[in-house]
Amino acid sequence: MNRINKKLQEGKKILSIYFSAGYPSLNDTVQIIQDLEKNGVDMIEIGLPFSDPLADGPTIQASSTQALHNGMTTQLLFDQLATIRETVSIPLVIMGYFNPILQYGVENFCKKCQEIGVDGLIIPDLPVDVYADQYKATFEKYGLINVFLITPQTSNERIHFIDSVSNGFIYMVSSASVTGSQSGFGSTQEDYFKRIADMNLKNPQVIGFGINNAETFKQATQFAKGAIIGSAFITYLTENGTGKIAEFVKVIR
């Protein structure tokens, strides 16, 4: 069974952390992953830096740009992660845009993910219809879970289609804004969280965008299986470096 599915079957709420590979420094990637697991994070999303990250707010864009300046590439990320499963056991997901994956070769990319122990992918600009028609068989051949995003504007019909194609979790974007652009959830968002929960989808939901402290983590996980923190963690790395990750996680949980 895929590590993501195993983790989703656990009784607790899941805390997933996102960061950009190669940030703050080029060779920080593995140490950050190890420190996050050591301090109780349940799943990690490793951002594959890209020059035009459409869904990302200024914080993640800046970290992605810096990572590219540092020299991060798709191949270098795979090289850095080559022995990651000797020290890390929690689910690892690569989150990135489709262009670098296409340039690398979709099958080659998936094969490499399987070899090093990556469990899934999140590709915001890969439409679910295109995935289902052209790439689903390849992802499944290499044991990879592909995670799709929904927003408050996604129709129920589309959500049910995404649910039918998915075999891990659904990434619920908390609002229509980019990452890192909000703080706290109002009644509109809570109504959205509850509406999706009441749809009784076969795949659990994990909420992202706007989770930045213990309060928003608790708000989100009241209605969903877990929550994802990205911009707030990157801001913390920017301000504190990589030596105080334990303190960040402790504040959330």
Side-chain angles (χ1 to χ4, degrees):
M1 183 187 288
N2 188 293
R3 293 179 192 88
I4 294 171
N5 297 122
K6 284 184 183 174
K7 182 59 68 175
L8 291 168
Q9 288 180 3
E10 294 180 6
K12 63 177 178 178
K13 299 295 186 176
I14 288 172
L15 171 60
S16 181
I17 297 284
Y18 168 96
F19 75 100
S20 298
Y23 182 85
S25 298
L26 182 61
N27 295 313
D28 285 337
T29 309
V30 170
Q31 189 63 56
I32 290 172
I33 293 169
Q34 291 170 337
D35 287 351
L36 286 171
E37 178 178 47
K38 189 167 65 179
N39 288 287
V41 169
D42 300 299
M43 184 164 62
I44 297 171
E45 294 172 20
I46 306 160
L48 178 60
F50 181 54
S51 56
D52 191 21
L54 300 173
D56 296 318
T59 301
I60 292 177
Q61 280 191 20
S63 68
S64 184
T65 300
Q66 184 59 53
L68 291 172
H69 286 322
N70 290 344
M72 180 53 67
T73 65
T74 304
Q75 186 57 55
L76 181 55
L77 176 58
F78 285 143
D79 292 345
Q80 289 181 347
L81 298 178
T83 58
I84 194 69
R85 286 305 175 192
E86 293 175 10
T87 57
V88 172
S89 62
I90 61 173
L92 299 176
V93 178
I94 289 179
M95 183 169 186
Y97 294 86
F98 195 49
N99 187 279
I101 298 170
L102 205 54
Q103 287 184 355
Y104 196 87
V106 175
E107 180 141 15
N108 288 338
F109 191 95
C110 292
K111 185 170 186 285
K112 199 69 183 171
C113 285
Q114 182 188 54
E115 286 173 4
I116 63 181
V118 169
D119 304 290
L121 299 173
I122 302 172
I123 311 168
D125 60 341
L126 175 60
V128 61
D129 322 66
V130 175
Y131 167 76
D133 290 342
Q134 299 181 32
Y135 301 112
K136 188 172 188 283
T138 303
F139 278 54
E140 291 178 348
K141 175 182 174 182
Y142 294 102
L144 290 171
I145 285 174
N146 196 27
V147 177
F148 293 98
L149 283 68
I150 63 170
T151 74
Q153 285 71 42
T154 308
S155 69
N156 284 3
E157 182 184 13
R158 188 84 170 164
I159 291 169
H160 281 300
F161 178 59
I162 286 170
D163 190 43
S164 71
V165 171
S166 301
N167 60 344
F169 66 92
I170 293 172
Y171 188 134
M172 267 181 75
V173 176
S174 66
S175 73
S177 60
V178 295
T179 56
S181 61
Q182 63 186 60
S183 58
F185 298 124
S187 59
T188 302
Q189 283 153 321
E190 291 200 350
D191 288 346
Y192 160 58
F193 298 162
K194 188 173 187 306
R195 175 172 66 84
I196 302 302
D198 288 344
M199 289 178 72
N200 295 316
L201 303 173
K202 73 179 176 74
N203 291 278
Q205 300 88 58
V206 179
I207 296 176
F209 291 45
I211 320 290
N212 50 33
N213 54 29
E215 182 186 354
T216 47
F217 179 77
K218 187 176 178 183
Q219 271 186 292
T221 54
Q222 181 182 346
F223 300 99
K225 178 61 179 176
I228 301 156
I229 298 177
S231 297
F233 179 63
I234 289 172
T235 297
Y236 187 85
L237 288 178
T238 304
E239 294 173 353
N240 300 279
T242 59
K244 297 182 177 179
I245 286 174
E247 293 171 30
F248 180 87
V249 179
K250 194 187 300 180
V251 169
I252 304 300
R253 280 232 154 115

